[in-house]
Amino acid sequence: MTIKFPAVATAAITASIILSGCGSAVPTIVSTPLENIDKQPLKTTSLNEVQLKGWGGADIVSDTIPGMSVEKAYTEIIKDKQGQNVIVAVIDSGVDIEHEDLKNVIWTNTDEIPNNGIDDDKNGYIDDIHGWNFLGDIVEENMEYVRILRDGYSKFENASASDFSGEDLEAYNQYVEAKAEYDKEYGEAIQNKQQYEGIYQQLKAAHSAVSKEIGKEDYTKKELSEMTTTSEQLGQYKGFLTQMYTYAEGQTIPEFMEGIKEGVDYFAGRLNSHFNQKLNARATILKDNPDDWSTRYYGNNDVDGPDPKKADAKHGTHVAGIIAAPRNNGVGMNGVAQNVEIMVIRAVPDGDEYDKDIANAIRYAVDNGAKVINTSFGKYFSTHPEWVNDAIEYAAKKDVLIVNAAGNEGLNLDEKRVYPNDQTPTEPKEISDTFLTVGSLTYTYGAEMVSSFSNYGKSNVDVFAPGSKIWSTTPLNEYEYLQGTSMAAPAAAGVAAMVRSYFPNLKASEVKQVLMESGLSTTQTVVVGGESSNTKPFTSLSTSGKMVNLYNALILASKK
């Protein structure tokens, strides 16, 4: 149901910039922040292609799209003013550093001489020119609960809780939880693979017969409806394909079939890697013990990963583009932030990341000059959370902001613990005040503005940012729509980088507060978890109850 708000919000006064008298040339902004968005009318027309590709930067007042007012900020506040360079570390699956719209914003370690096989800067990592790859040649990995199940099988399989005490009892309980999760997820993967295979085979048969009858592969829905059926079987095929068109969302049947085939391949891949207890890529490929913290300098400098087609770098490349793809350069798309260098740290495989790699990745980023770290990953089981917690605290002590994705299961994180996290499992006290967790928004302003997949939580999620159907860079000079809180986090990280660029005297903890306090709020009740019956006030879904907004963030930062 479409919910309409009363007309007209208070218009924002056009910003003017007066440079302060100090030598740092920090802009003092005289402006009125955006507010009272509940008085905004809903957008009643669909987004066109240009609007859809850039909706994350749209303005709620002028566009009635719940973006971050990025274009407004550049036009009215930034203009031609220059900020300081900021290094943003992307801890992810790798980044295509040769991408046409990223190659000019990739961080270079100038203290290292390329490819001489020597650790010139004495940081422990040889030839780390653009970052580091803690995975080596690993691409596919198990889920964490599968590793727990595999590693504890001989000790716990035929045991009971009464057989253990202390740390062994904790390990046994984790094993029991891991086994329950494995049984559930493995069974669902089998079922989904079979369902997708069945649909694909039906589509293949029906499409073959209908395309032969019509005389073309890319027939339209109208051409299908006008087709005369010459047999009962052809009539059944026509009915089936007509039904499939209702799910195709503007795609042709061949395009829809390709999507279904990708679903088959996805679940087959999960069965072969995520749930395959014989995989153990860590031991066979990287040859590093993930339970031994004493070894830190493993992996290599191949930050876009081993796949020559760079498929494993797709996720990280998309994240990097959202943050920092150069603006208005006539190539590709516009990232949120300018004055940014992307430090690439590969630590997230196709499967669950290892705690050791994430802890080392955070420390590498901090030690090599990153001021913002983006962590678009997460899991619900962890064997060494203390290592990651220590790294998060280390980043806080070194004045580095971590921007973290909330996760994509539509869960309340106040009830379900996720890793990484800045809170301990026994109490809600934060271990760091420089860790920002981000949920995902859609471009539909109103009751459906929270992405159906987005996790939420009044205590464990801090803010929301655009994350549904986000256009950004992918490997080999391509661009695609992807979605997830993985896309919302870099949107917020881009805003954080802009604040750190133009207001470098602010501490990381202050930047976090700026993003939380300056965001836009609404009294709207929204659907969460994709269930129409599950509605909550938007203000109850995060600590701030707000949506990140660059325009407002710059205004508030100028007053700190």
Side-chain angles (χ1 to χ4, degrees):
M1 180 178 69
T2 301
I3 302 173
K4 294 184 178 180
F5 291 108
V8 204
T10 304
I13 299 174
T14 300
S16 61
I17 300 176
I18 304 173
L19 293 181
S20 64
C22 66
S24 61
V26 174
T28 299
I29 301 168
V30 181
S31 178
T32 300
L34 304 172
E35 56 187 1
N36 298 329
I37 67 169
D38 283 339
K39 295 181 179 180
Q40 278 301 112
L42 289 173
K43 189 175 186 67
T44 57
T45 58
S46 299
L47 274 61
N48 60 39
E49 184 178 4
V50 173
Q51 290 173 323
L52 189 59
K53 286 182 176 180
W55 80 265
D59 178 65
I60 193 69
V61 173
S62 59
D63 305 311
T64 62
I65 301 170
M68 302 190 302
S69 303
V70 174
E71 305 306 323
K72 183 183 184 72
Y74 275 97
T75 301
E76 299 185 10
I77 295 178
I78 298 301
K79 296 183 179 178
D80 58 352
K81 300 299 182 283
Q82 297 299 312
Q84 294 187 8
N85 283 344
V86 175
I87 299 172
V88 178
V90 172
I91 301 176
D92 214 290
S93 64
V95 173
D96 179 2
I97 59 176
E98 290 92 22
H99 193 286
E100 62 180 9
D101 210 14
L102 290 175
K103 61 185 179 181
N104 293 327
V105 294
I106 300 298
W107 171 75
T108 297
N109 182 0
T110 56
D111 294 329
E112 195 80 11
I113 299 172
N115 305 318
N116 67 351
I118 299 172
D119 180 17
D120 301 291
D121 61 0
K122 306 278 192 295
N123 71 348
Y125 300 95
I126 296 172
D127 290 335
D128 56 323
I129 307 302
H130 301 296
W132 194 250
N133 173 11
F134 285 99
L135 298 177
D137 290 337
I138 291 176
V139 175
E140 297 177 334
E141 254 293 357
N142 293 145
M143 306 302 286
E144 185 71 271
Y145 52 83
V146 176
R147 297 192 289 250
I148 292 170
L149 198 61
R150 179 192 67 209
D151 296 342
Y153 180 83
S154 61
K155 185 175 183 179
F156 299 127
E157 173 62 16
N158 296 311
S160 64
S162 61
D163 297 327
F164 305 102
S165 62
E167 292 184 359
D168 284 342
L169 179 58
E170 290 180 14
Y172 172 79
N173 289 335
Q174 187 179 56
Y175 175 88
V176 171
E177 291 178 19
K179 188 175 189 307
E181 186 72 7
Y182 171 82
D183 291 342
K184 172 180 173 290
E185 293 292 327
Y186 181 79
E188 289 180 358
I190 290 282
Q191 184 178 26
N192 286 328
K193 178 175 176 287
Q194 291 173 343
Q195 288 178 341
Y196 273 78
E197 284 176 333
I199 293 170
Y200 181 75
Q201 292 304 323
Q202 291 180 67
L203 274 168
K204 189 175 178 181
H207 175 64
S208 176
V210 167
S211 59
K212 183 177 180 180
E213 182 70 22
I214 294 177
K216 58 190 295 189
E217 287 277 323
D218 292 337
Y219 49 85
T220 65
K221 185 177 181 181
K222 183 174 184 295
E223 288 172 326
L224 176 65
S225 68
E226 293 174 349
M227 182 190 78
T228 301
T229 57
T230 56
S231 68
E232 182 180 354
Q233 181 69 75
L234 194 60
Q236 291 175 350
Y237 285 153
K238 178 180 178 179
F240 175 70
L241 292 174
T242 299
Q243 182 183 17
M244 290 299 101
Y245 256 119
T246 64
Y247 303 110
E249 296 183 346
Q251 296 176 309
T252 64
I253 290 298
E255 290 170 337
F256 183 63
M257 285 176 61
E258 182 61 29
I260 297 296
K261 181 62 165 60
E262 288 176 1
V264 174
D265 294 342
Y266 169 75
F267 288 110
R270 292 207 74 193
L271 293 169
N272 291 331
S273 60
H274 295 175
F275 303 120
N276 182 3
Q277 296 183 45
K278 296 180 180 180
L279 179 61
N280 203 356
R282 188 77 178 203
T284 58
I285 298 176
L286 190 60
K287 302 187 188 312
D288 172 77
N289 182 356
D291 299 313
D292 180 4
W293 179 245
S294 67
T295 56
R296 287 188 58 188
Y297 307 107
Y298 52 91
N300 59 44
N301 68 346
D302 184 13
V303 294
D304 56 5
D307 188 339
K309 296 182 179 179
K310 304 186 180 183
D312 49 321
K314 182 176 182 177
H315 191 273
T317 303
H318 202 269
V319 165
I322 294 170
I323 297 169
R327 299 183 60 81
N328 305 315
N329 63 345
V331 178
M333 43 83 65
N334 289 338
V336 173
Q338 61 184 16
N339 307 324
V340 164
E341 298 175 29
I342 296 293
M343 177 189 291
V344 184
I345 307 178
R346 186 170 183 265
V348 184
D350 178 7
D352 274 343
E353 61 278 0
Y354 279 94
D355 297 321
K356 179 179 178 179
D357 297 343
I358 299 308
N360 279 325
I362 291 172
R363 289 177 178 273
Y364 177 94
V366 172
D367 291 342
N368 288 279
K371 301 304 291 180
V372 178
I373 301 173
N374 190 88
T375 56
S376 285
F377 52 82
K379 58 186 180 179
Y380 297 97
F381 287 82
S382 175
T383 53
H384 298 290
E386 69 280 4
W387 294 348
V388 180
N389 289 348
D390 287 346
I392 292 171
E393 291 183 89
Y394 181 72
K397 291 175 182 176
K398 297 293 186 177
D399 192 36
V400 179
L401 179 68
I402 298 175
V403 183
N404 181 62
N408 303 326
E409 286 71 39
L411 300 175
N412 184 347
L413 296 186
D414 294 347
E415 301 172 355
K416 175 72 172 179
R417 183 166 171 79
V418 69
Y419 304 89
N421 190 293
D422 63 342
Q423 296 187 5
T424 64
T426 55
E427 57 183 75
K429 181 180 179 181
E430 292 184 342
I431 62 174
S432 162
D433 58 359
T434 65
F435 190 93
L436 184 80
T437 298
V438 187
S440 174
L441 297 172
T442 74
Y443 47 81
T444 304
Y445 173 45
E448 296 179 352
M449 63 191 300
V450 172
S451 304
S452 61
F453 52 76
S454 182
N455 289 349
Y456 56 94
K458 184 67 175 176
S459 178
N460 283 281
V461 174
D462 294 306
V463 290
F464 279 77
S468 284
K469 202 163 187 178
I470 303 298
W471 181 258
S472 186
T473 47
T474 50
L476 303 178
N477 298 333
E478 297 292 335
Y479 305 83
E480 292 184 35
Y481 290 107
L482 295 179
Q483 63 182 15
T485 57
S486 286
M487 284 65 248
V495 173
M498 288 292 286
V499 173
R500 302 218 81 169
S501 173
Y502 286 91
F503 303 94
N505 294 330
L506 292 183
K507 296 179 180 179
S509 57
E510 293 175 307
V511 176
K512 174 182 175 178
Q513 288 304 312
V514 163
L515 264 66
M516 293 176 66
E517 293 172 10
S518 67
L520 300 178
S521 190
T522 174
T523 59
Q524 176 69 37
T525 296
V526 297
V527 176
V528 295
E531 297 289 339
S532 59
S533 59
N534 187 8
T535 60
K536 298 180 183 297
F538 178 75
T539 53
S540 73
L541 302 183
S542 67
T543 302
S544 69
K546 295 181 179 181
M547 301 169 268
V548 174
N549 188 274
L550 176 59
Y551 185 86
N552 278 8
L554 293 173
I555 294 170
L556 181 58
S558 72
K559 299 175 182 178
K560 289 288 186 178

